[in-house]
Amino acid sequence: QVQLMESGGGLVPPGGSLRLSCKASERTSNNYARAWFRQTPGKEREFVAVTRWAGGVSTIYADSVKGRFTMSRDNDRNTVYLQMDSLKTEDTAIYYCAEGRRLITSSLRFPEYYNYWGPGTQVTVSS
């Protein structure tokens, strides 16, 4: 089964940028989604962004990060990235990468539909 590993977290001041990476141990052929979620203590895991490969490629962002975060991919490296700009203190969280297979559009934002998860990487936005 595929293994995911995030990297790139750290401490950054408000207004700063970070780029997270999520490397997969193997390539998934088609009809799968690779997503970013985040979680803070005492709260449920929150959807951030997802890219789905199902015929074409499409990306969806949470309203809270739209225009500030950009998801991209390097298929040769089995890696997806999350470029985070104009960071706010409320972006502080553990960020998780996840993969789900054969998801329908209405399922993409919900963590319970994803089968594979990385261990997470801490992002702290603070002055």
Side-chain angles (χ1 to χ4, degrees):
Q1 63 183 29
V2 65
Q3 294 182 328
L4 305 174
M5 181 59 67
E6 306 93 340
S7 61
L11 172 64
V12 62
S17 297
L18 279 176
R19 188 177 80 155
L20 305 183
S21 301
C22 171
K23 183 170 176 59
S25 60
E26 61 188 55
R27 179 171 297 179
T28 305
S29 57
N30 196 21
N31 201 352
Y32 70 102
R34 193 77 56 76
W36 291 95
F37 289 84
R38 64 187 183 187
Q39 191 170 23
T40 54
K43 292 190 175 181
E44 294 185 352
R45 203 159 286 191
E46 175 190 20
F47 168 74
V48 176
V50 60
T51 293
R52 183 172 64 169
W53 289 262
V57 179
S58 58
T59 300
I60 302 171
Y61 298 94
D63 289 343
S64 59
V65 307
K66 200 173 295 183
R68 300 188 299 121
F69 291 10
T70 303
M71 195 168 172
S72 62
R73 65 200 184 277
D74 184 335
N75 292 333
D76 290 339
R77 291 183 167 85
N78 296 335
T79 301
V80 296
Y81 304 96
L82 185 68
Q83 177 66 40
M84 306 187 296
D85 298 318
S86 303
L87 282 161
K88 305 176 181 179
T89 55
E90 52 262 44
D91 294 318
T92 295
I94 299 175
Y95 282 71
Y96 297 91
C97 178
E99 180 173 308
R101 311 235 171 126
R102 295 178 295 278
L103 300 185
I104 59 176
T105 302
S106 59
S107 302
L108 292 173
R109 297 172 183 261
F110 300 96
E112 58 264 34
Y113 293 101
Y114 290 80
N115 308 103
Y116 306 101
W117 291 85
T121 185
Q122 176 71 49
V123 170
T124 302
V125 184
S126 174
S127 55

